[in-house]
């Protein structure tokens, strides 16, 4: 509840709904996730956000995995600073933080991973990945800004860690909007968890 007596500018009810479902198909799975939240005030939607995602993963060969992830979202009436900002944990990985910001977004990646070595001197595993990313974010009163990259990279993960902390070292070629300078980018970050 958003009651004016509790300091809210506009009173109302703020429901939130999350749902997901999936299906297993032998050596892979598919999962759909939906998240919606908002503020209903005076019988109308004052502000809100909705997002949906599809993940399809397959492990047809031992030590290999292929993942397709597609996400889309929109928001309206949210306070400044809560825009969709691709580049902080999701989005085309070869672009700078804040390269794609707005209240509408779409993003997808296709990644193939090879788990080459499970453990090196009891400390880390080594893998490689090839990927294709495409997507962007923009404001509803602007044309869509979209960009992508294609590349390959090294994956290093601590085998004694308690969480998913795989590091990535990627070389990628950028295309589309949202870039300046060289189209070839070397980036370092955390590997995407799907």
């Amino acid at each position: 509840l958003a009651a004016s007596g509790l300091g809210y500018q506009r009173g109302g009810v703020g429901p939130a709904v999350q749902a997901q479902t999936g299906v297993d198909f032998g050596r892979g799975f598919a999962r759909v996730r939906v998240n919606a939240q908002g503020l209903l005030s005076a019988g109308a939607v004052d502000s809100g956000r909705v997002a949906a995602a599809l993940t399809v993963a397959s492990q047809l060969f031992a030590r290999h995995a292929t993942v397709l992830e597609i996400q889309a979202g929109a928001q309206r009436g949210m306070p400044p600073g809560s825009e969709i900002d691709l580049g902080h944990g999701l989005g085309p990985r070869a672009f700078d933080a804040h390269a794609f910001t707005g209240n509408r977004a779409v993003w997808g990646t296709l990644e193939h991973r090879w788990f080459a070595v499970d453990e090196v001197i009891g400390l880390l595993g080594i893998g490689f990945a090839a990927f294709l990313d495409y997507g962007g974010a923009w404001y509803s009163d602007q044309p869509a800004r979209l960009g992508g990259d294609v590349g390959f990279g090294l994956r290093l993960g601590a085998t004694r860690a308690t969480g998913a902390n795989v590091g990535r070292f990627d070389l990628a070629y950028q295309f589309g909007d949202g870039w300046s300078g060289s189209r070839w980018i070397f980036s370092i970050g955390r590997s995407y968890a799907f």
Side-chain angles (χ1 to χ4, degrees), residues 40-133:
L40 304 176
S41 180
V45 177
D46 176 81
S47 59
R49 154 187 343 218
V50 63
L54 168 68
T55 306
V56 180
S58 178
Q59 192 172 12
L60 294 176
F61 307 105
R63 308 184 73 75
H64 290 264
T66 303
V67 179
L68 171 68
E69 172 86 2
I70 300 171
Q71 298 182 11
Q75 60 187 33
R76 180 178 101 183
M78 301 299 286
S82 62
E83 296 86 4
I84 300 169
D85 189 356
L86 299 184
H88 291 285
L90 56 108
R93 66 194 84 199
F95 288 82
D96 294 339
H98 317 299
F100 299 105
T101 304
N103 58 16
R104 305 285 186 266
V106 63
W107 172 70
T109 188
L110 177 63
E111 181 171 305
H112 180 80
R113 297 175 178 177
W114 172 40
F115 309 103
V117 181
D118 287 336
E119 201 163 337
V120 176
I121 61 171
L123 296 175
L124 60 97
I126 299 173
F128 299 92
F131 55 86
L132 169 67
D133 301 324

Side-chain angles (χ1 to χ4, degrees), residues 93 110 129-133 149-153 170-173 184:
R93 66 194 84 199
L110 177 63
F131 55 86
L132 169 67
D133 301 324
D149 52 61
V150 59
F152 61 92
D170 293 330
L171 179 62
Y173 180 80
W184 285 100

Side-chain angles (χ1 to χ4, degrees), residues 167-178:
R168 64 175 179 81
F169 302 87
D170 293 330
L171 179 62
Y173 180 80
Q174 296 176 316
F175 56 90
D177 302 324

